[in-house]
Amino acid sequence: SLHKYGDFFPGTGHIQDVGAKEGVGYSVNAPLQAGITDETYLNELFIPVFDKIMEVFQPGAIVLQCGADSLTGDRLGCFNLTTHGHADAVKHVKSFGVPTLVLGGGGYTIRNVARCWAYETSVLLEEPISNDIPFNDYYEYYAPDFELHLKPDPSMENANDNLESIRTELLQHLQDLQGAPSVQMQQVPPAFRTADDDDAGGEGEKGSRKRLKKPHSAELYDNVD
């Protein structure tokens, strides 16, 4: 998770928050400050950290949440990402060719949320779309430029002067994990069994055998004391 950290809801996501109990080490949090830009977000943090995550975890699938509150001009967020920079992160994830479920997330300037997810849908589908927003029932919300892409706020200062130390700590944390997390493969038992498979053999008619559901140790039944 790459997110705003500090006096900002919900107040979690410190770089030392790495999971609990059996999950210790499997959470990666990158706490950021206001004003981060496309270049610093992507090249100094997202790409190197995500590449290491893919190397260590070797996931069979990815769930990617694309919160739009990191966009410039968000009413609650305080980053300075453009739609191009935001989508470049999605494009980088897609480049690994791993099955990916892409979700929405935060975003409190609604017209920019629509811009972001429309563009990222086009990126995922590899279907280019025009920067000129076509006329629609909500056309006036996109004034004054009526364009798809956002421009960074030149007056916003980038307060992230410690990205190198954050990147170094996260990469070391990932390096310390031994092997890719995995679940041991086991044979899946059948959902049903035939009670008299062993003693009925070929005797009687096919319909005389009673099929019973195989009980699971975590389930409760009326006949269990």
Side-chain angles (χ1 to χ4, degrees), residues 42-59:
L42 288 165
N43 298 328
E44 297 187 33
L45 202 59
F46 183 88
I47 290 176
V49 172
F50 185 80
D51 288 357
K52 190 65 176 179
I53 287 173
M54 293 298 290
E55 174 191 331
V56 173
F57 284 82
Q58 299 176 24

Side-chain angles (χ1 to χ4, degrees), residues 71-82:
L71 291 172
T72 184
D74 190 81
R75 294 177 65 187
L76 295 184
C78 47
F79 290 171
N80 203 13
L81 300 183
T82 69

Side-chain angles (χ1 to χ4, degrees), residues 41-188:
Y41 181 87
L42 288 165
N43 298 328
E44 297 187 33
L45 202 59
F46 183 88
I47 290 176
V49 172
F50 185 80
D51 288 357
K52 190 65 176 179
I53 287 173
M54 293 298 290
E55 174 191 331
V56 173
F57 284 82
Q58 299 176 24
I62 298 170
V63 179
L64 179 64
Q65 184 180 30
C66 302
D69 49 354
S70 54
L71 291 172
T72 184
D74 190 81
R75 294 177 65 187
L76 295 184
C78 47
F79 290 171
N80 203 13
L81 300 183
T82 69
T83 40
H84 280 298
H86 201 278
D88 281 346
V90 176
K91 191 180 301 183
H92 186 70
V93 173
K94 184 176 183 291
S95 70
F96 283 84
V98 176
T100 303
L101 175 63
V102 181
L103 309 176
Y108 306 97
T109 301
I110 303 302
R111 59 185 178 273
N112 292 346
V113 175
R115 283 179 162 109
C116 178
W117 293 344
Y119 179 56
E120 289 179 1
T121 299
S122 78
V123 167
L124 291 165
L125 297 176
E126 299 181 1
E127 291 287 346
I129 55 177
S130 171
N131 187 41
D132 297 321
I133 294 176
F135 185 79
N136 60 81
D137 291 342
Y138 305 95
Y139 190 68
E140 65 275 11
Y141 286 94
Y142 300 96
D145 55 16
F146 303 100
E147 293 181 348
L148 176 66
H149 292 292
L150 301 173
K151 300 177 179 65
D153 181 355
S155 67
M156 179 176 284
E157 180 182 356
N158 187 350
N160 293 273
D161 54 3
N162 62 337
L163 289 182
E164 183 176 357
S165 64
I166 291 175
R167 181 180 67 249
T168 300
E169 183 168 346
L170 292 178
L171 293 177
Q172 185 60 54
H173 161 65
L174 289 164
Q175 184 65 37
D176 291 341
L177 288 176
Q178 298 299 316
S182 61
V183 177
Q184 184 177 358
M185 298 299 292
Q186 299 181 7
Q187 183 177 0
V188 179

